[in-house]
Amino acid sequence: MDFKAILLFMFISGSCKLRGPMVIYGTLAGRVTVHLEYDQEDEAFTKSWCKVRDGMCIDFVDTNGYVNELYLGRVSITEDRSSRIISLTLQQLKKEDAGQYSCGIRLSQYKYESFWMELKVLEASQISSPSPTTTNLKSALSPPMKWNFVFLAVVLYLTLKLLVAVTILVLLLKKHRGNGQTAKSN
């Protein structure tokens, strides 16, 4: 998924209510666990994890007990409501597990708050030093503050461009209608 599509999705869905790492690293045949934090007002809602395939994000596990049959025995999701943390684990990693993922909160039938992340699956020989397979929430909270400002700047810029375009269109339509009325009165 390209950067423009992600920006558009973020613009449509609103601000992200989940916080966690944007990039996750795992090794072939290994396991990766990621912890995401959510807000207290979202405690009662279902949380789910999906993988982007062919432009669609296909759910494969959620906090209501759903597990896609392709991931049976390889994936788990747990929720600690006292600390408001979702823990997602994917084990027996394969090369095809690499890619874009989204963890989300279903706020209603039509509203879904998403947090996008990328999983990179490496061969053991690609890792120069031992690294943890669990991503600590405190060590990798995202989006970083500077990205919040970048996103806000992009949204403001695009909104301003849209406002200018609509204003020009309205002025042109008024001028066109004015020219049409002037021609009729002559």
Side-chain angles (χ1 to χ4, degrees):
M1 178 174 275
D2 69 8
F3 184 69
K4 292 176 189 174
I6 291 172
L7 274 178
L8 178 62
F9 186 82
M10 289 172 65
F11 184 75
I12 292 169
S13 66
S15 63
C16 184
K17 297 176 136 232
L18 289 162
R19 293 164 300 282
M22 293 179 77
V23 180
I24 310 158
Y25 294 90
T27 57
L28 281 173
R31 127 196 309 224
V32 66
T33 299
V34 61
H35 305 289
L36 300 174
E37 182 179 33
Y38 61 89
D39 297 328
Q40 185 173 3
E41 65 265 14
D42 298 320
E43 237 173 54
F45 297 109
T46 300
K47 287 78 174 182
S48 63
W49 203 15
C50 69
K51 180 167 185 353
V52 176
R53 285 200 179 120
D54 301 321
M56 297 177 56
C57 205
I58 310 298
D59 280 352
F60 62 90
V61 66
D62 72 24
T63 54
N64 284 340
Y66 169 77
V67 178
N68 183 305
E69 63 186 31
L70 298 173
Y71 291 90
L72 282 174
R74 289 196 329 123
V75 68
S76 67
I77 185 170
T78 58
E79 179 177 14
D80 180 352
R81 289 191 173 182
S82 64
S83 60
R84 294 183 303 281
I85 300 229
I86 306 165
S87 297
L88 307 157
T89 300
L90 183 58
Q91 55 191 10
Q92 300 166 6
L93 291 172
K94 305 172 184 178
K95 283 185 180 183
E96 57 267 18
D97 289 327
Q100 294 289 322
Y101 287 81
S102 174
C103 184
I105 301 174
R106 284 191 204 118
L107 300 173
S108 72
Q109 182 178 356
Y110 302 105
K111 184 157 177 150
Y112 185 81
E113 293 286 342
S114 301
F115 177 82
W116 292 89
M117 64 188 89
E118 182 179 0
L119 172 61
K120 295 186 178 193
V121 179
L122 308 172
E123 293 184 28
S125 63
Q126 293 176 301
I127 299 173
S128 58
S129 63
S131 63
T133 57
T134 299
T135 304
N136 185 337
L137 185 65
K138 293 187 187 286
S139 69
L141 282 182
S142 68
M145 190 59 74
K146 71 175 184 175
W147 288 110
N148 287 338
F149 291 119
V150 169
F151 176 71
L152 181 60
V154 168
V155 169
L156 289 175
Y157 173 75
L158 293 174
T159 303
L160 183 61
K161 283 185 83 167
L162 181 63
L163 181 62
V164 169
V166 168
T167 303
I168 291 170
L169 182 62
V170 167
L171 291 173
L172 288 173
L173 285 173
K174 282 184 179 182
K175 184 177 179 181
H176 179 71
R177 285 184 184 164
N179 287 341
Q181 291 175 353
T182 306
K184 288 180 185 177
S185 62
N186 288 337

